[in-house]
Amino acid sequence: MKRLRGVNLAQIPIAYVDIRFFVHATENPKKVVEAVRRLLPANHIDEIIFERSNLKGHYGNPITVFEIRIKKREIVKAVVETLSSGLGELDKKALLREIGSHVEKGSLYVRLDKQAALQGEFKLCSADPVRVRIRFKKKKLEDIIKNCRELGLVCVLQCFTQVFAFPL
Amino acid sequence: MKRLRGVNLAQIPIAYVDIRFFVHATENPKKVVEAVRRLLPANHIDEIIFERSNLKGHYGNPITVFEIRIKKREIVKAVVETLSSGLGELDKKALLREIGSHVEKGSLYVRLDKQAALQGEFKLCSADPVRVRIRFKKKKLEDIIKNCRELGLVCVLQCFTQVFAFPL
Amino acid sequence: MKRLRGVNLAQIPIAYVDIRFFVHATENPKKVVEAVRRLLPANHIDEIIFERSNLKGHYGNPITVFEIRIKKREIVKAVVETLSSGLGELDKKALLREIGSHVEKGSLYVRLDKQAALQGEFKLCSADPVRVRIRFKKKKLEDIIKNCRELGLVCVLQCFTQVFAFPL
Amino acid sequence: MKRLRGVNLAQIPIAYVDIRFFVHATENPKKVVEAVRRLLPANHIDEIIFERSNLKGHYGNPITVFEIRIKKREIVKAVVETLSSGLGELDKKALLREIGSHVEKGSLYVRLDKQAALQGEFKLCSADPVRVRIRFKKKKLEDIIKNCRELGLVCVLQCFTQVFAFPL
């Protein structure tokens, strides 16, 4: 948590944070919401009310969509702190290495594993995620990378020890 | 269902059928079992008791594994009939086209979408499936393909109108 | 070579064999033809005359296409023998395991590495291959697999020791 | 070409440029070198002498490796100008979108299609490329992106109109 302690709220380079996730027909909505709450500051939990809507999946299967836009500076800061202190170094390296697939039009998309979140762990995943969208004030990729480093969302050190080789 | 009506039980070229699926921590086990029951004959439902065991996922998340081996001829026949009449032509084409990744050591592996199953629809999927393993008596790939055609599990007609082109 | 020695020419279950390959602008056509000749019987080399035509690649780059249809039984038999004795066990396993992507409408497509062929080695590849199409008389996948086994083009033994695991 | 006209040579944020490519056994080395020369300034062509070495490919096939490190400021500038004016907007978007797979330890790797280069066109490719490595003086990803934008190597405008959707 320490990384952002000194950050003045007004200075946070983020416009808002969206959180969005699905609850599938075989799931227990309470359990999924419980998982997502691990990201959210306990002292604001009553203010954070997800909007619900209904979708049909590929096979006509019902899906409940939960979503919220968080603009309140303290909550935005708390969510980013939780992510920053909760994501592991490998995931922060992966975010930086594949930054092009995580950033779109001024937003960083972090997709978190639902099952891990329910255990209080924040891990990147691709299938059926809790999707956190962090909308930055500046939109250029290089500015977003700089912001992400300062916020501790991607690795801070020179971390390009890529696994794959460059045969040519 | 008609396809197998005339098949003598003793002639079914199948040794047994295994059904196996996971229940994740955000899921409601009753809902998942309800989904799987759509595959099973209603008149035998009391005999079909899944064994449960516990796994830990990648992130220490608890997973309950449900599994059963079905050897009783009538139930085997009923499950195969349900699959045969429930799988769509596109899925049957896909099974035949990618038969090499669905058959291993004498068994056909059919992975069904949980959410679709809960709607009474049987659709192939890859992530978090209800896995049905059909163990054949003969083990050669060409024999299994022949059996699958006769049982209506893969497409019967000449169905190789592949989507992808062969540039060379 | 011994595998097909006893096969009566009239019995070969193959209608014809097509060979097709590209020569790119940076290539030396003589070298590429030399590579392809490793597949062909020396005593018939004068009869085997490739048709040439010209293509434009994605970037307007010139490509010369070489192709031939071989119907003469002795040459068909010789090419199949060369493939059968030249392909390694790993490639024969791969062909069987991924048979669905190698067979289309009654033909087996074997794509050989050009550079390996020039060394007298026959290895499966995917990019810029020498493409051999073997058109069988019977068109059902199970019949083609049976024929391929008998001709020694795919592995003969029970060879499904797949590398990938089936987690579910 | 105009983009870099005003850039003071001393200011170029690049330490050196490496060019590296393979000549395969079916290729004509002269043709491949001719393709690579399209990248190089005609007035310095006599100074640019590739080192050659020999590799064995997977199948024992001989490969000749050609490589050179260019440190002379004028030649570095000329190569970067040629790339900057020759790469299309789609490729520059792709470079930025997938920047994480093109940058490693302070270097941008641009892989160019050999056949296109021989036509005087510069197109990204993945298989059998002419590999250009641009080693920057600063090593942070955000600095390299900034440099690449200024040099016209990646798209300059807000160009993240990604094709793929974000379903969640």
Side-chain angles (χ1 to χ4, degrees), chain A residues 108-163:
Chain A
L108 176 75
Y109 290 82
V110 180
R111 290 173 184 78
L112 299 172
D113 188 278
K114 256 181 201 177
Q115 310 303 328
L118 189 55
Q119 302 301 109
E121 302 239 16
F122 303 114
K123 302 288 180 186
L124 296 185
C125 77
S126 49
D128 192 27
V130 178
R131 196 198 70 178
V132 182
R133 173 193 177 187
I134 300 173
R135 178 64 154 76
F136 288 92
K137 291 173 183 166
K138 292 189 177 178
K139 287 189 168 180
K140 279 193 179 172
L141 185 56
E142 59 265 44
D143 292 323
I144 291 177
I145 295 174
K146 197 163 168 286
N147 287 334
C148 285
R149 277 205 216 261
E150 289 163 359
L151 295 168
L153 291 171
V154 302
C155 64
V156 187
L157 299 174
Q158 292 305 330
C159 67
F160 278 102
T161 48
Q162 292 199 334
V163 182

Side-chain angles (χ1 to χ4, degrees), chain B:
Chain B
M1 296 287 187
K2 63 185 188 304
R3 282 191 188 85
L4 305 186
R5 200 165 282 165
V7 174
N8 186 317
L9 276 185
Q11 291 170 348
I12 284 188
I14 296 169
Y16 54 82
V17 167
D18 286 344
I19 297 177
R20 194 177 141 103
F21 57 95
F22 290 165
V23 174
H24 292 281
T26 62
E27 286 188 307
N28 183 337
K30 282 185 191 166
K31 287 282 185 184
V32 184
V33 170
E34 189 187 326
V36 176
R37 284 197 172 168
R38 305 296 168 108
L39 260 179
L40 302 171
N43 56 334
H44 288 280
I45 213 77
D46 295 339
E47 299 168 52
I48 302 169
I49 295 155
F50 288 95
E51 269 184 63
R52 291 175 178 225
S53 53
N54 296 305
L55 276 184
K56 286 281 173 200
H58 279 300
Y59 312 122
N61 49 305
I63 295 171
T64 313
V65 186
F66 286 68
E67 48 196 332
I68 194 172
R69 174 156 299 177
I70 300 171
K71 293 184 167 178
K72 196 169 185 172
R73 318 284 322 134
E74 294 152 66
I75 308 181
V76 166
K77 188 168 167 256
V79 169
V80 171
E81 278 176 352
T82 305
L83 270 182
S84 163
S85 59
L87 280 173
E89 278 308 300
L90 283 177
D91 276 346
K92 290 181 183 183
K93 281 187 185 184
L95 275 176
L96 186 57
R97 197 171 54 237
E98 300 152 18
I99 195 75
S101 10
H102 291 283
V103 169
E104 173 163 312
K105 292 184 190 159
S107 294
L108 175 75
Y109 289 80
V110 180
R111 290 173 183 78
L112 298 172
D113 188 277
K114 257 182 202 176
Q115 309 304 327
L118 190 53
Q119 302 301 108
E121 302 238 15
F122 302 114
K123 301 287 180 185
L124 296 186
C125 76
S126 49
D128 192 26
V130 178
R131 197 198 68 180
V132 182
R133 174 192 176 188
I134 300 173
R135 177 65 153 78
F136 288 92
K137 290 172 182 165
K138 292 189 177 179
K139 287 188 168 181
K140 280 194 178 171
L141 184 55
E142 60 266 42
D143 292 323
I144 291 177
I145 294 174
K146 196 163 168 286
N147 286 334
C148 285
R149 277 205 216 259
E150 288 163 358
L151 294 167
L153 291 171
V154 302
C155 64
V156 186
L157 298 175
Q158 292 304 332
C159 67
F160 277 102
T161 48
Q162 291 199 336
V163 182
F164 69 90
F166 283 102
L168 197 67

Side-chain angles (χ1 to χ4, degrees), chain D:
Chain D
M1 294 288 191
K2 65 186 185 305
R3 281 191 189 86
L4 304 186
R5 200 164 285 166
V7 174
N8 184 317
L9 275 186
Q11 289 170 349
I12 284 189
I14 295 169
Y16 54 81
V17 168
D18 287 344
I19 297 175
R20 192 176 143 102
F21 57 94
F22 289 166
V23 174
H24 292 281
T26 61
E27 287 188 307
N28 182 339
K30 283 185 190 166
K31 287 283 184 182
V32 184
V33 170
E34 188 187 326
V36 176
R37 285 195 172 170
R38 306 295 167 109
L39 260 178
L40 302 171
N43 56 334
H44 289 280
I45 213 75
D46 295 339
E47 300 169 51
I48 302 170
I49 295 155
F50 288 94
E51 269 183 62
R52 291 177 178 224
S53 53
N54 296 306
L55 275 184
K56 285 280 173 200
H58 280 301
Y59 313 121
N61 49 307
I63 295 172
T64 313
V65 186
F66 286 68
E67 48 196 331
I68 193 173
R69 173 156 299 177
I70 301 170
K71 293 183 166 178
K72 195 169 188 172
R73 318 288 318 136
E74 295 152 65
I75 307 182
V76 166
K77 188 167 168 263
V79 169
V80 171
E81 277 176 352
T82 304
L83 269 182
S84 164
S85 60
L87 280 174
E89 279 308 300
L90 283 178
D91 276 345
K92 290 180 182 184
K93 281 187 185 184
L95 276 176
L96 185 57
R97 198 171 54 236
E98 298 151 21
I99 195 77
S101 12
H102 291 283
V103 170
E104 173 162 313
K105 293 186 189 158
S107 295
L108 175 74
Y109 290 81
V110 180
R111 290 172 184 77
L112 299 172
D113 189 278
K114 254 182 203 177
Q115 309 304 328
L118 189 54
Q119 302 301 108
E121 302 238 16
F122 302 113
K123 303 288 180 186
L124 297 185
C125 76
S126 49
D128 191 27
V130 178
R131 196 197 70 179
V132 181
R133 173 192 177 187
I134 300 173
R135 179 63 154 77
F136 288 91
K137 290 172 182 165
K138 291 188 177 180
K139 287 189 169 181
K140 278 193 179 172
L141 185 55
E142 60 266 43
D143 292 323
I144 291 177
I145 294 174
K146 197 163 168 287
N147 287 334
C148 285
R149 279 206 215 260
E150 290 163 358
L151 295 169
L153 292 171
V154 302
C155 63
V156 186
L157 300 174
Q158 292 306 331
C159 67
F160 277 101
T161 47
Q162 291 199 334
V163 182
F164 68 91
F166 281 102
L168 195 67

Side-chain angles (χ1 to χ4, degrees), chain A residues 59-102:
Chain A
Y59 312 122
N61 48 306
I63 295 171
T64 312
V65 186
F66 286 68
E67 48 196 331
I68 194 172
R69 173 157 299 178
I70 301 171
K71 293 182 165 178
K72 196 168 186 172
R73 319 279 328 129
E74 295 152 66
I75 307 182
V76 166
K77 187 168 169 259
V79 169
V80 171
E81 278 176 353
T82 304
L83 270 182
S84 163
S85 61
L87 280 173
E89 278 309 300
L90 283 178
D91 276 345
K92 290 180 182 184
K93 281 187 186 184
L95 276 176
L96 186 57
R97 198 171 54 234
E98 299 152 20
I99 196 75
S101 11
H102 291 283

